[in-house]
Each structure stands twice: as C-alpha cells, then as structure tokens.
Amino acid sequence: MAVAAAQKNREMFAIKKSYSIENGYPSRRRSLVDDARFETLVVKQTKQSVLEEARARANDSGLESDFIQDGVHIGNGDNSPTVEDGTQQDETKNGHLADADIGDDDAKGDEDYTLTEEEVILQNAASESSEAEQALQQAALLLHMRDGMGSLARILKTIDNYKGCVQHLETRPSQVTGVQFDALVKVSMTRINLIQLIRSLRQSTAFAGVNLLTENNISSKTPWFPRHAPDLDNCNHLMTKYEPELDMNHPGFADKDYRERRKQIAEIAFAYKYGDPIPSIAYTEIENGTWQRVFNTVLDLMPKHACREYKAAFEKLQAADIFVPHRIPQLEDVSSFLRKHTGFTLRPAAGLLTARDFLASLAFRVFQSTQYVRHNNSPFHTPEPDCIHELLGHIPLLADPSFAQFSQEIGLASLGASDSEIEKLSTVYWFTVEFGLCKENQQLKAYGAALLSSIGELLHALSDKPELRPFEPASTSVQPYQDQEYQPIYYVAETFEDAKDKFRRWVSTMSRPFEVRFNPHTERVEVLDSVDKLETLIWQLNTEMLHPTNAVKKLKGSHFE
C-alpha cells in the first residue's frame, strides 16, 4: 500500500515538475492546463481517501447508535424495538417488514456496510455539530422492493417513526430481475435520522437495493464556488508555493537572494484582502532592467504582429504613463486603469493559482496577477507566470471591452463545473487567451498573452511551421497542448465576437445543471435556479432595454427631420 501511494506521489510530482531554459527556449513550462489535470488527480485521490476512511469507520462502529424520540426507541443494536403504543413488534419475518424498524441484523450483521459517496457527504455534514445533526434534510430515496406493494405501508410507517415527512411517492414496475417494484420516496427529516433510516432500509431482506439520490444543501457533485467578490479571498490556493525552491532546474534555484525576494513578494499576496489597495513593490534596478529589455522588444514587434485591439490599449497605457520602459508598473495603477475601461480589476497572487480558483476570479472581472519578476538570467522566458508576462501579455487586452467580456464568460462557465470541464475550459483558455491568433485584413495577428510576451514563440506562431485551425471550442477543448516545445497547432479566431458566440454555444452543452449571471451592481454571481429569479432578471433586462430603445427612436426622429 505504501509503495503504491509513493508511486502515485511520484507520478503527480512528475506532472508538476517544471524546467528551465535551454539556449533561450523553454524545455518545459507550467500552465493552467497542467495544473487543472493535476488538480483533478488530487481531487480524485482525496475523495477516494475520504470515502475509504468513512466506510472503514462505518464498518468498525456498525453505526450502532440509538435514538429515543417521543417514546419511540429506534436502535440498530436492539432487535426488539418498541413503538408508540408501548407494544413490541415482530422482527422482519418471511421477507416482510416490521412496523417500527426495518432491519435484519441476523441476516446481514456479518456483511460490511458500504457507504455511498452521497451518504459520506451526509454523514460528514451531520457530524459537524449537534445542531447539524438535527438540521432538516430533504432527500430522495430509490427503493427496489422484492416483495411488491405489500411492504410499502410498512416503509411509510417506518419513515413516520423516524419523524420523517413524506413529500412525494411514486412507484413503477421494476425492470430488475428479482425485484417487483421500484419506489421513489422524497422525504424530509433530520440528518441523523435520515442516516439511520437508510441503514435500516438497506439491512432489510425486503429490498434489493436502497439508493440516496439527491440532497438539498449538500452536494458532492457541485464544488463550492464564490458568490460575491469578497469570496475571492478564499480563491488563492497555489498548486506549489515558490517554484525556485522546489525545482533545481528553475533559473533562480541557485540564487538565494532571488528565492528570498520571491518569498517576500509572495507574502504580500497571501496577506491581501478584498478591498485593500494593492501594496506597491519597490522594484530593484536589476528587476527594472529585465522589464526594460522585454518591454523594448515587445515595442519593436508589436506594430507588425499584434492585433489592433492590443495595440490600441497599449498606446492608452503609454499615454497614461503606466507603460514606460524604465520602470515596472504598479498593480494598483494598472487596476485603476482597467476599472475605468472595462470594469476589470487586479489582485495580487503569490504564484500560479489552481485552475478552478484562477478561472473563478475572471467571473468577477478580477485578474489575479503575480508581482514578482522572472530571473534576470532568463529575461525572455519564464517557466511560470511573472508580472512581465501578466502586464505585457494580458493587461492590454483586458482593457478591450470585447476581450474582457470573453474572459469573464470563461470564468462564469467555470463556476460549479466538474473537474473534467475545468480541464476543458483551461485548455480553451490555453489556446485562446494564452496562445490565440486572429485574422485581421486576411493577415494573422497575435492576441494570446504567452505569444505577445515570448518573442521566440510569437515568431514561430506566425511562421509557416505550425498548423493553423479555426477556433471551435468543442475540438479545441480536447486538443493536447505542448509544454516542452513551441505549439505545433494554433487556433485562429475570425473575430473576438465570433469566438464569443461559438464559446457561448459550446458552454450551453456543459453538464452543469444551472445557469449563472454576474450582477455588476452588487458584484455577486446569481444562480438562476428558480422562476422568481428569472422573472426578476427579465424585468431588469426589460428596464435596461428602454434606454437603447428610446435612443434609437430619438436618433431616427432627428434623422428624418
């Protein structure tokens, strides 16, 4: 067991390992896609460990707990439960159910009690406190009845004895061999009694199976996601903390002063809270010198190779005295600039965030940016994001309204998405926001941040060497990416608007069972899961449409005059 665990750890570490530069070219670089896949492995391994531990506890204890409620003794260690009138009921006989207890400990007492994932989630929620145990829980139970409808009345009586309320009941003939009927029963009861009810039902010989289908307020399928901008304080998880300390091939691994500098800047990000001004960094002469070398190179290549939206925003940043050759911009100044143009803001990040956390931030028009600078020995490439990549690569297009909207839609699509869908969204992000190309007057232009801040890759992408494909999210999202050499395949968008339309249609096919929208007035993400919410939204949209409708009428009126 220990050997297998060690092997898994080695495999995951291999996924995380990043390499430095050889002759000015990346040998390997870290990416959002890489971390999304690693994140999926960690989640699966953690979930499996939690389930195994919970099942082991259940088998060790046998869930032997008793409950006394209003004169009803409900216990799994007692084979002679009493009911409200004080008489004793027979145990399960001939496959039929007793009124107060559904149990056959003699028949199944030696078998392991295997908790399902949903039951583990329920049990963990109930164990948080005594109040959590007694919290009302709604659940749907699917019962496979061997003996037909004769046991249905006893099932309802047992639910009643566990102080449960039946909210819905339907039956149908079963298609399973040896089972006469399937019954779907929706109940409401305390969490602790629901756990006991499920165990009692499962131990009865009258059933071929008992499944907990759904629960309210508890979901093992939908992960937590931020609903309000301040929740982003909880979205700062790093897959690794300080790359130079963990990877001996990192350009800064052997530079003790550089590693210490990275720690100091990272601590600023860890301490940051929503609403705080972003602390300024007193960049050194060496750091500003690295910025200047890259800045001047981008300035030379930009007129010919960058898309018009990037160039227009770059010029505005220069006019605002934010982009200058001799100093690295401060994030607070850049954040204020973005807020005025597209509503995006920045917050400091200590390193490359988990894919889920990074994408979630985009939903709130927040871009998580590092503040540290790549090592001066490798000015034109960094194995992980640094502030030069963020500022020269991402910031100009985040100041463009259309591209800002596209970035936010990627973020909104990630909220509540499954791990596999996060991987796909990260891959779309990789081939668009990082390595995207677009058409402009029948010529190829770069809009991807990794291209615009990496000279070698930019020239490679615009040469005749790689394969160019039209951007289609369905195929782009499953395309293997290249992290050890330049990309062999790039995706070309006709326009940003075309890319957004295709992305929206693709997102609508995702398995997420709800839709979300960002309310810019409250800076909250609203889950559109009820008719009332949808009616409120429609009313708001109708109200907002009055202004452009009136403007069109006035313009038409003045035109004809």
Side-chain angles (χ1 to χ4, degrees):
M1 188 72 178
V3 175
Q7 178 63 26
K8 283 184 179 179
N9 290 334
R10 283 194 295 271
E11 291 173 355
M12 285 190 289
F13 179 77
I15 294 175
K16 295 297 296 174
K17 193 172 176 60
S18 58
Y19 299 88
S20 62
I21 315 306
E22 294 178 2
N23 301 321
Y25 295 92
S27 176
R28 182 165 180 171
R29 57 196 158 204
R30 297 189 65 213
S31 75
L32 202 67
V33 188
D34 196 29
D35 278 356
R37 292 175 179 172
F38 176 74
E39 204 174 339
T40 299
L41 289 177
V42 172
V43 169
K44 287 182 179 177
Q45 187 181 47
T46 302
K47 183 183 291 185
Q48 186 63 31
S49 298
V50 170
L51 288 172
E52 289 175 357
E53 182 180 350
R55 287 164 180 164
R57 287 200 308 268
N59 290 331
D60 289 342
S61 65
L63 291 177
E64 298 285 341
S65 54
D66 294 343
F67 301 92
I68 306 294
Q69 294 188 359
D70 299 336
V72 184
H73 182 94
I74 305 173
N76 294 293
D78 186 350
N79 287 327
S80 301
T82 58
V83 292
E84 293 177 4
D85 61 4
T87 63
Q88 290 192 338
Q89 299 295 318
D90 292 335
E91 298 174 46
T92 303
K93 295 180 179 179
N94 301 321
H96 294 287
L97 307 174
D99 285 346
D101 188 19
I102 304 177
D104 192 353
D105 291 341
D106 293 336
K108 295 192 176 184
D110 295 333
E111 296 182 12
D112 283 345
Y113 179 67
T114 303
L115 294 174
T116 65
E117 182 178 332
E118 287 78 7
E119 289 170 55
V120 170
I121 299 295
L122 176 63
Q123 183 169 288
N124 289 342
S127 65
E128 291 178 358
S129 65
S130 57
E131 290 79 10
E133 285 186 355
Q134 299 304 317
L136 283 179
Q137 184 70 47
Q138 293 180 358
L141 301 174
L142 180 61
L143 311 177
H144 302 289
M145 300 186 294
R146 287 193 175 102
D147 301 318
M149 303 300 291
S151 59
L152 190 57
R154 300 184 185 91
I155 293 172
L156 299 178
K157 177 62 175 177
T158 304
I159 293 173
D160 183 64
N161 287 338
Y162 276 100
K163 299 303 174 186
C165 176
V166 176
Q167 298 178 324
H168 179 84
L169 171 64
E170 61 180 274
T171 62
R172 68 180 182 187
S174 180
Q175 297 179 352
V176 179
T177 303
V179 177
Q180 293 192 31
F181 289 94
D182 294 332
L184 177 66
V185 187
K186 294 184 179 180
V187 298
S188 176
M189 61 174 60
T190 63
R191 288 171 176 167
I192 198 67
N193 280 5
L194 178 58
I195 293 170
Q196 286 298 115
L197 172 65
I198 294 170
R199 180 177 185 268
S200 296
L201 292 172
R202 187 171 280 123
Q203 287 182 328
S204 172
T205 58
F207 298 102
V210 177
N211 296 327
L212 175 61
L213 297 181
T214 57
E215 303 156 84
N216 67 315
N217 302 325
I218 300 174
S219 175
S220 60
K221 308 301 181 187
T222 303
W224 176 90
F225 59 86
R227 304 297 182 92
H228 192 210
D231 293 342
L232 295 180
D233 289 344
N234 298 319
C235 293
N236 59 358
H237 303 97
L238 306 182
M239 298 307 294
T240 52
K241 286 187 178 180
Y242 313 116
E243 288 294 334
E245 289 195 348
L246 297 175
D247 185 357
M248 66 178 62
N249 292 312
H250 191 284
F253 180 80
D255 190 335
K256 183 179 179 181
D257 292 337
Y258 179 79
R259 298 203 314 268
E260 185 60 33
R261 174 71 164 163
R262 286 280 294 267
K263 284 185 180 181
Q264 293 171 356
I265 295 177
E267 289 303 323
I268 293 174
F270 286 134
Y272 180 83
K273 298 298 181 185
Y274 173 79
D276 293 346
I278 303 175
S280 296
I281 304 294
Y283 289 108
T284 66
E285 184 178 343
I286 292 176
E287 290 167 337
N288 282 318
T290 302
W291 159 267
Q292 186 167 15
R293 291 181 65 183
V294 182
F295 181 88
N296 288 335
T297 304
V298 171
L299 208 58
D300 290 339
L301 295 174
M302 179 180 61
K304 182 178 180 181
H305 299 302
C307 66
R308 66 169 66 93
E309 291 84 356
Y310 180 92
K311 290 186 287 188
F314 198 101
E315 290 175 0
K316 291 178 181 178
L317 286 158
Q318 286 179 298
D321 201 35
I322 294 175
F323 273 9
V324 293
H326 60 276
R327 71 167 189 273
I328 300 173
Q330 296 294 334
L331 293 194
E332 182 65 23
D333 296 333
V334 178
S335 185
S336 298
F337 176 89
L338 290 177
R339 182 185 286 275
K340 293 176 183 177
H341 288 81
T342 61
F344 253 90
T345 58
L346 303 181
R347 65 174 291 150
L352 186 60
L353 300 177
T354 64
R356 192 177 291 278
D357 280 355
F358 178 79
L359 294 176
S361 301
L362 296 178
F364 296 86
R365 296 211 171 202
V366 172
F367 185 84
Q368 304 240 19
S369 173
T370 54
Q371 289 181 288
Y372 57 79
V373 183
R374 64 191 64 177
H375 197 272
N376 63 298
N377 286 344
S378 177
F380 295 110
H381 178 80
T382 175
E384 85 274 54
D386 75 325
C387 69
I388 294 178
H389 167 77
E390 322 278 33
L391 293 167
L392 294 179
H394 288 285
I395 296 308
L397 280 175
L398 288 177
D400 176 77
S402 183
F403 189 82
Q405 178 67 26
F406 176 66
S407 298
Q408 184 179 28
E409 290 193 31
I410 294 178
L412 288 168
S414 77
L415 300 181
S418 66
D419 291 334
S420 62
E421 289 168 338
I422 290 292
E423 286 187 30
K424 291 180 179 179
L425 287 167
S426 299
T427 305
V428 169
Y429 187 92
W430 173 268
F431 283 112
T432 55
V433 180
E434 293 290 356
F435 289 95
L437 296 173
C438 62
K439 291 182 180 179
E440 194 173 287
N441 298 326
Q442 303 305 314
Q443 292 184 329
L444 285 178
K445 301 293 182 180
Y447 71 87
L451 296 178
L452 293 165
S453 61
S454 177
I455 300 161
E457 182 110 24
L458 173 63
L459 297 177
H460 168 77
L462 297 174
S463 71
D464 58 359
K465 295 179 181 179
E467 178 186 352
L468 303 181
R469 297 177 181 177
F471 173 63
E472 295 292 343
S475 57
T476 304
S477 65
V478 295
Q479 173 63 39
Y481 76 102
Q482 177 57 257
D483 66 348
Q484 296 185 350
E485 298 174 358
Y486 294 146
Q487 300 298 309
I489 297 171
Y490 296 93
Y491 287 89
V492 182
E494 295 292 330
T495 62
F496 288 149
E497 289 303 320
D498 180 64
K500 282 194 297 183
D501 290 342
K502 290 179 177 177
F503 182 78
R504 289 190 190 108
R505 289 196 295 270
W506 175 67
V507 166
S508 67
T509 67
M510 291 172 60
S511 62
R512 189 177 62 178
F514 54 85
E515 187 57 71
V516 299
R517 73 178 288 263
F518 177 71
N519 187 327
H521 308 296
T522 62
E523 294 187 319
R524 288 183 180 274
V525 165
E526 299 171 352
V527 178
L528 304 177
D529 57 358
S530 70
V531 174
D532 289 342
K533 290 180 181 179
L534 289 173
E535 288 179 343
T536 300
L537 174 59
I538 291 171
W539 176 82
Q540 292 173 345
L541 294 176
N542 287 336
T543 303
E544 291 176 5
M545 284 299 298
L546 288 176
H547 300 291
T549 301
N550 290 337
V552 168
K553 291 179 179 179
K554 291 178 180 179
L555 287 172
K556 286 183 175 180
S558 61
H559 175 73
F560 285 110
E561 288 177 2

